[in-house]
Amino acid sequence: MNSFIQIRRDLHQIPELGFQEFKTQQYILDYLSKLPQDKLEIMRWETGLLVRVRGSHPKKTIGYRSDMDGLPILEQTGYAFSSIHEGNMHACGHDFHMSIALGILTELVTCQPPENHIVFIFQPAEEGPGGAYPMMQSKEFQKQAFDEIYALHVQPEAPTGYVRMKPGIFFAHTAEIHIDLMGKGGHAAYPHLTKDMIVASAALVQQIQTVISRNINPLESGVVTFGFLHSGTANNIIAQGAKLKGTARALSVETMQVIKKRVSEICQGIAVMYDCEVQCEFRSEYYGVYNDAILTEKLLKYFKEENIPAEICEPTLAGEDFGYMIQNIPGCMFWLGVQSPFGLHHEKFCPDEAAIPKTIHFMSKFLSKRTN
């Protein structure tokens, strides 16, 4: 078995949530300790790492980013190497991302020494609360002075090894929505003496669904989804409070601003209509991923020269905090096909491991020869 497929399986067994990636960090450190140390500079930041591979004739510093964290999902894949951290799972492919990054790094250190400095960024907390922005503020990150930066994300819908990318906006601007409603509970037989927060929260969800359909230009893209609603304690008790959690996503800053403004205003209206208190917060906001047009064109040209199936695709409303890194550093993120019958964030997500050695080969060659 390819050693990096085994590394993926090892990492798959120890998924850890954002800023809790202690075992994951140590696993990577242990692996790196076996490589020639004279070509490496290893820096820790929180539960993440920056690993510099020294170039032979450096004229620039190139970044390659891999995220590290898992998700709070109970795995149901049936793998022999399933998660040993019950309730946590690598359901978004970050185990793939890390094993591929380690494979590329190994190739550059042992077989294909790069002309330029290549810095591998093992970033924690991509799934939340967001590790890219605070990592970028660290002295470890800022001392690198990146000239350009690259990343990939597995795509279960695409054939294994197939590459998709897009210049300009690629991944969406995103924000978590947290809403708390507080009214007055009481006996189910006396609703006139209460302020029912199940009724209020139901009305709130329905009203917010009009934000996209009636406030956003139909030619623009956006979505508001609520995945969590909790209210009440018993069948004959009118609920005093309710809590909702959701997500807002848009392909432009302007559209995101409209969504946030209208959601906040609807919350204020619900407070008046149902004589209750409503608190609305937007958290863990991620900036959209804008791929640099020139670097995307060069990467696409390289893929075609190497006979790697690649194409320009449509943008996605998925979010990625790599958008913060690419906001000030020219770079490109691309989809990597892994052909899974179950999608990202699914309890049975099972990407095709054959993508790992293929990607290590073509990305190590690209980075080793990247000069202009």
Side-chain angles (χ1 to χ4, degrees):
M1 183 194 302
N2 181 283
S3 60
F4 297 103
I5 291 177
Q6 183 59 54
I7 285 174
R8 179 259 166 163
R9 296 183 178 187
D10 293 344
L11 291 168
H12 187 84
Q13 289 189 291
I14 54 170
E16 298 166 293
L17 302 184
F19 292 122
Q20 299 175 31
E21 303 95 340
F22 300 105
K23 288 184 181 179
T24 304
Q25 182 191 57
Q26 190 58 54
Y27 182 96
I28 295 172
L29 285 169
D30 289 344
Y31 176 82
L32 294 173
S33 69
K34 301 171 186 175
L35 298 178
Q37 298 300 298
D38 61 317
K39 299 180 180 180
L40 296 176
E41 181 183 358
I42 301 170
M43 294 151 279
R44 297 192 190 208
W45 176 81
E46 300 293 337
T47 50
L49 295 165
L50 292 99
V51 185
R52 173 183 282 253
V53 178
R54 298 186 182 93
S56 57
H57 300 89
K59 294 181 180 179
K60 62 171 67 175
T61 297
I62 301 172
Y64 183 88
R65 178 269 204 167
S66 166
D67 35 19
M68 302 170 65
D69 54 326
L71 286 157
I73 293 175
L74 182 62
E75 182 169 352
Q76 300 293 331
T77 60
Y79 284 153
F81 52 92
S82 290
S83 169
I84 60 174
H85 295 168
E86 186 174 357
N88 290 352
M89 177 186 172
H90 270 302
C92 200
H94 297 186
D95 49 345
F96 263 60
H97 300 172
M98 288 184 285
S99 62
I100 289 169
L102 287 173
I104 298 169
L105 188 155
T106 302
E107 285 290 304
L108 296 182
V109 170
T110 60
C111 303
Q112 302 185 64
E115 292 187 26
N116 289 303
H117 297 314
I118 311 292
V119 179
F120 290 82
I121 305 158
F122 293 92
Q123 180 218 303
E126 188 280 325
E127 298 291 351
Y133 183 77
M135 191 177 206
M136 290 176 65
Q137 310 311 305
S138 70
K139 64 179 185 300
E140 291 84 1
F141 191 97
Q142 293 185 7
K143 73 179 287 190
Q144 305 306 321
F146 291 103
D147 294 287
E148 57 193 62
I149 191 167
Y150 298 89
L152 64 81
H153 200 297
V154 295
Q155 186 181 41
E157 300 84 6
T160 300
Y162 204 96
V163 171
R164 290 172 172 165
M165 63 181 74
K166 180 189 177 299
I169 185 66
F170 186 39
F171 276 62
H173 304 269
T174 68
E176 293 180 2
I177 308 172
H178 293 254
I179 301 175
D180 288 296
L181 300 92
M182 182 58 64
K184 183 180 179 182
H187 197 291
Y190 307 104
H192 59 295
L193 301 178
T194 70
K195 299 170 185 177
D196 191 338
M197 290 303 98
I198 287 182
V199 173
S201 62
L204 178 60
V205 172
Q206 291 289 340
Q207 288 297 313
I208 288 177
Q209 292 310 306
T210 68
V211 171
I212 301 300
S213 64
R214 288 298 175 266
N215 298 114
I216 303 301
N217 185 331
L219 299 179
E220 297 291 329
S221 294
V223 68
V224 179
T225 297
F226 285 97
F228 177 94
L229 168 59
H230 179 79
S231 184
T233 56
N235 66 305
N236 60 350
I237 300 174
I238 289 177
Q240 177 169 298
K243 182 181 290 289
L244 296 95
K245 297 179 183 179
T247 180
R249 296 162 185 263
L251 292 182
S252 74
V253 173
E254 294 75 18
T255 299
M256 178 60 82
Q257 289 173 341
V258 172
I259 292 173
K260 291 169 64 177
K261 179 176 181 290
R262 290 299 295 135
V263 168
S264 298
E265 290 171 345
I266 290 171
C267 286
Q268 294 170 13
I270 290 292
V272 174
M273 184 178 295
Y274 291 92
D275 191 20
C276 63
E277 296 179 13
V278 182
Q279 294 182 344
C280 176
E281 289 186 77
F282 296 92
R283 306 176 188 171
S284 298
E285 297 190 42
Y286 286 4
Y287 195 81
V289 174
Y290 284 88
N291 281 339
D292 181 85
I294 294 174
L295 294 183
T296 302
E297 181 182 351
K298 288 183 177 181
L299 188 56
L300 183 63
K301 179 182 178 182
Y302 165 77
F303 288 143
K304 291 183 176 180
E305 290 173 348
E306 294 294 315
N307 296 316
I308 298 160
E311 66 177 9
I312 299 295
C313 66
E314 294 298 315
T316 175
L317 284 173
E320 244 288 354
D321 71 345
F322 182 65
Y324 284 112
M325 294 186 181
I326 215 167
Q327 186 178 6
N328 297 311
I329 305 169
C332 178
M333 170 174 267
F334 61 88
W335 285 119
L336 171 67
V338 291
Q339 200 164 10
S340 167
F342 303 99
L344 300 172
H345 294 207
H346 194 283
E347 62 188 7
K348 293 184 179 180
F349 178 53
C350 51
D352 184 0
E353 294 178 325
I356 294 173
K358 292 179 181 179
T359 311
I360 291 171
H361 173 72
F362 67 68
M363 283 308 294
S364 59
K365 184 175 180 181
F366 172 78
L367 291 173
S368 70
K369 303 299 182 184
R370 179 80 188 104
T371 56
N372 53 46

